[in-house]
Amino acid sequence: EGLWIMDTADHRLRELAIDIAADELQSAVSSEVVSRDAGELSVAGDGDELAMVIRGEMVLVNKELEGRARVVLPGPWRESDVQFRPGSADTLLMISDSQSRRGVPYARLGLVVSDDPEHTNLRQARRHRVEWLTPAGVECASPQWSPDGKLISYIHGQGKLAVIEADGSDRRILFEGWDNPEVAWSPDSRWLAYAVATGSDYN
């Protein structure tokens, strides 16, 4: 168990140790070296930038630099379902429970982008901001980029399969039911296949 990188040319594996600082560029207050407990991994289009979730924190690291990493949104909340926008290293799709309704956290869909005019690359940016894509108070789950990076599918509320533009506009509900559908985009981004449970069968 641990974090590993494999060189696809020679198939050699090496363990990846990541030194996490809350803010490496301004005022780091704590540092911890970890080599396991990564629950998710997303690779940017150039293959160099990695995003992962370690113990609920969204962490950015460069494949070649290894070592020093960035915690993007330091805080007690948890992020999940992190995905770089296809072909980019400057936009991350994610689910976060940093929002609350009557004091109870709920999962909201948003984009993490740079708030640093000098760097669009998320790992290099000194500041970040979240652009929320879904309404306040609505639980969301299972986001997925279309291959061209223009659309996002996700579960809106309970059992509603929705598609939105990458800026959160033009929400369309494709299916409503009690089950959360399984989803797959076609390579050309024109079609969205989904499977739902009906009784004991899938359609």
Side-chain angles (χ1 to χ4, degrees):
E1 182 181 356
L3 302 176
W4 298 81
I5 288 180
M6 182 179 74
D7 189 323
T8 55
D10 58 19
H11 302 289
R12 287 188 301 176
L13 287 172
R14 69 178 187 273
E15 190 169 12
L16 179 63
I18 299 174
D19 184 13
I20 301 175
D23 185 345
E24 67 171 271
L25 296 176
Q26 294 183 27
S27 56
V29 295
S30 64
S31 180
E32 181 179 358
V33 176
V34 298
S35 61
R36 60 187 63 212
D37 296 329
E40 302 178 27
L41 177 67
S42 179
V43 182
D46 60 8
D48 290 334
E49 303 295 330
L50 310 174
M52 59 189 75
V53 175
I54 301 177
R55 301 171 189 167
E57 298 279 9
M58 184 162 45
V59 176
L60 301 177
V61 65
N62 182 277
K63 181 187 68 175
E64 297 302 326
L65 297 178
E66 299 187 15
R68 201 70 169 170
R70 297 291 313 278
V71 174
V72 187
L73 302 173
W77 45 83
R78 300 179 68 86
E79 290 87 39
S80 64
D81 296 274
V82 298
Q83 302 167 43
F84 278 110
R85 186 172 185 165
S88 85
D90 59 12
T91 305
L92 265 176
L93 180 65
M94 59 106 192
I95 294 276
S96 173
D97 67 1
S98 63
Q99 304 288 288
S100 63
R101 176 179 53 210
R102 299 187 192 93
V104 179
Y106 64 92
R108 193 175 186 186
L109 182 63
L111 296 179
V112 179
V113 296
S114 169
D115 199 27
D116 181 349
E118 296 183 9
H119 299 285
T120 59
N121 180 290
L122 289 177
R123 182 183 50 79
Q124 297 173 338
R126 292 173 180 268
R127 296 177 302 278
H128 304 89
R129 71 177 187 274
V130 177
E131 297 178 350
W132 297 110
L133 301 178
T134 54
V138 177
E139 286 276 349
C140 300
S142 306
Q144 190 171 324
W145 286 106
S146 62
D148 62 7
K150 295 180 179 180
L151 299 171
I152 301 166
S153 65
Y154 72 100
I155 305 302
H156 183 93
Q158 179 61 44
K160 295 181 182 179
L161 174 59
V163 172
I164 54 175
E165 300 286 332
D167 62 0
S169 64
D170 194 23
R171 180 174 296 101
R172 289 160 279 169
I173 303 298
L174 304 183
F175 172 83
E176 291 190 50
W178 58 269
D179 183 48
N180 289 347
E182 297 181 20
V183 174
W185 285 94
S186 65
D188 62 4
S189 302
R190 295 181 58 196
W191 302 93
L192 185 64
Y194 62 91
V196 296
T198 57
S200 59
D201 299 321
Y202 274 82
N203 288 337

